[in-house]
Amino acid sequence: MLNIFTLANGRLVQEEIESLEELKRFQPIWVDLESPTVEEKRWVKQHYGLSIPEDATDDDLEESARFYEEDNGELHIRSDFLVDIDDDPRAVRVAFILNLVNDSLKSKGVLFSIHDDDVPVFRLVRLRARRAPGLIEDAKEVLLKLFDADAEYSADTLEGIYDELKLVSTQVLAGDVTDAKASEVLAAIARQEDLNGRIRRNMLDTRRAVSFMMRSKMLNAEQFEDARQILRDIESLDSHTAFLFDKINFLMDATVGFININQNKIIKIFSVASVALLPPTLIASVYGMNFKFMPELEWQYGYGFGLGLMVCSAVIPMLYFRKRGWLK
């Protein structure tokens, strides 16, 4: 899908393009390509002279491969944007291309974004720019607002983690944690830990992208201050993610502790039962001896006496253990 965005009365207006002729009719500040087809890439190349690399959304980690400037003045930024879906939270790689200096290209002053999946942050920025006149003035402003919204989206996701961990804390600290409940709790904690880690990695990536924009001297004074504010917001989020990691570790340790307690209870019962059965075993061993002269061998009630003695030797220790609370 190829969408273009123009400024009209200070608002961002979206147009969906279905042909090269339609593309030529507009003067956009932002061209968004979501899972672009070969034909759509060809339209962009023919009209703007911009070649979209095949590896535009590859997962390169080296900064030199993600933030650089071409010889023709094009700035290339590859950044990750968080997508918080309950069953599949992930980061979507987005490639940005921005030409601010080359007057010979029609792409000057136009931000190009290429990505394979829908990004909630993009929808958020588009909605705000339609409702708030003057929010966006140029392509650089679009890029900054996307990173700003990404930080805000991550903050909202962190609040969701707080809420989920609060529910988990209620279950764990209630004290009655069965093995089945512990399994559910550990699964929930693992999901929140994974999401928290993704947020922290996403913030690290956003920080690198915004820092690159500041170093490239492409921002005016007001935009530069906005970029600094984004970095301050990200720094505040770092402390929140660190706190959440500590809380997650505490809840995980507490849950594992309850599992160990439950296992110890079972082992304790078996241990007590084994000790209680030692006296009957001793008595049975004594009467299993093959000595010729044993008083009870010729006694009419010897068999019953032996059984009763074994029962008493088992019951009396069990009563004693129960009184001491060792069977709880």
Side-chain angles (χ1 to χ4, degrees), residues 43-313:
W43 296 343
V44 171
K45 182 174 178 57
Q46 288 180 357
H47 183 62
Y48 293 104
L50 177 69
S51 298
I52 299 175
E54 293 296 328
D55 60 346
T57 57
D58 283 357
D59 294 332
D60 295 323
L61 295 179
E62 297 80 5
E63 185 170 3
S64 60
R66 300 180 62 176
F67 312 104
Y68 60 94
E69 183 176 356
E70 293 280 11
D71 294 336
N72 60 2
E74 293 176 352
L75 293 175
H76 289 251
I77 298 175
R78 300 183 187 182
S79 184
D80 294 334
F81 285 79
L82 182 68
V83 177
D84 179 21
I85 301 177
D86 291 338
D87 56 346
D88 184 26
R90 63 187 185 277
V92 175
R93 175 63 53 81
V94 180
F96 296 102
I97 303 175
L98 179 59
N99 168 31
L100 297 173
V101 296
N102 195 335
D103 295 326
S104 62
L105 297 177
K106 293 183 179 180
S107 61
K108 182 181 179 181
V110 181
L111 174 67
F112 295 85
S113 57
I114 305 98
H115 50 100
D116 295 328
D117 296 304
D118 182 38
V119 182
V121 167
F122 282 38
R123 296 197 305 269
L124 177 62
V125 170
R126 293 197 296 260
L127 180 62
R128 289 177 176 176
R130 283 200 299 267
R131 293 180 176 179
L135 180 66
I136 292 176
E137 298 178 354
D138 55 25
K140 296 178 294 182
E141 199 81 43
V142 173
L143 192 53
L144 276 178
K145 294 302 181 184
L146 288 174
F147 288 133
D148 185 29
D150 188 37
E152 182 180 344
Y153 184 81
S154 297
D156 292 339
T157 307
L158 283 177
E159 291 180 3
I161 296 178
Y162 274 105
D163 295 337
E164 290 295 327
L165 292 181
K166 183 178 180 180
L167 297 176
V168 172
S169 298
T170 302
Q171 292 179 301
V172 173
L173 300 180
D176 184 21
V177 180
T178 63
D179 289 347
K181 183 181 291 185
S183 178
E184 296 177 1
V185 167
L186 285 176
I189 292 175
R191 286 194 297 270
Q192 301 310 317
E193 194 278 338
D194 176 71
L195 181 56
N196 192 48
R198 291 180 184 277
I199 292 174
R200 188 155 196 168
R201 182 182 183 277
N202 184 68
M203 288 296 93
L204 173 63
D205 187 82
T206 303
R207 179 189 287 116
R208 293 167 62 190
V210 174
S211 298
F212 172 76
M213 293 178 64
M214 297 172 69
R215 292 195 308 270
S216 65
K217 300 180 180 180
M218 59 183 284
L219 306 176
N220 58 37
E222 183 178 353
Q223 292 169 344
F224 192 86
E225 183 58 34
D226 290 340
R228 291 181 61 184
Q229 182 59 48
I230 294 173
L231 294 182
R232 286 193 289 266
D233 292 340
I234 292 174
E235 184 177 356
S236 68
L237 291 181
D238 284 342
S239 60
H240 285 287
T241 57
F243 169 77
L244 285 177
F245 276 128
D246 292 338
K247 186 175 182 64
I248 287 170
N249 289 332
F250 165 75
L251 291 175
M252 187 166 294
D253 291 340
T255 305
V256 172
F258 279 114
I259 294 175
N260 292 334
I261 290 174
N262 293 338
Q263 292 177 345
N264 290 338
K265 288 180 180 179
I266 297 173
I267 295 174
K268 182 176 69 174
I269 292 174
F270 279 113
S271 300
V272 170
S274 300
V275 172
L277 292 176
L278 284 178
T281 303
L282 177 60
I283 295 172
S285 300
V286 170
Y287 285 104
M289 295 179 183
N290 294 321
F291 293 111
K292 183 176 182 180
F293 297 102
M294 295 186 71
E296 293 83 8
L297 289 178
E298 302 296 333
W299 186 26
Q300 179 180 358
Y301 302 104
Y303 179 68
F305 172 76
L307 292 179
L309 188 61
M310 286 188 286
V311 171
C312 290
S313 65

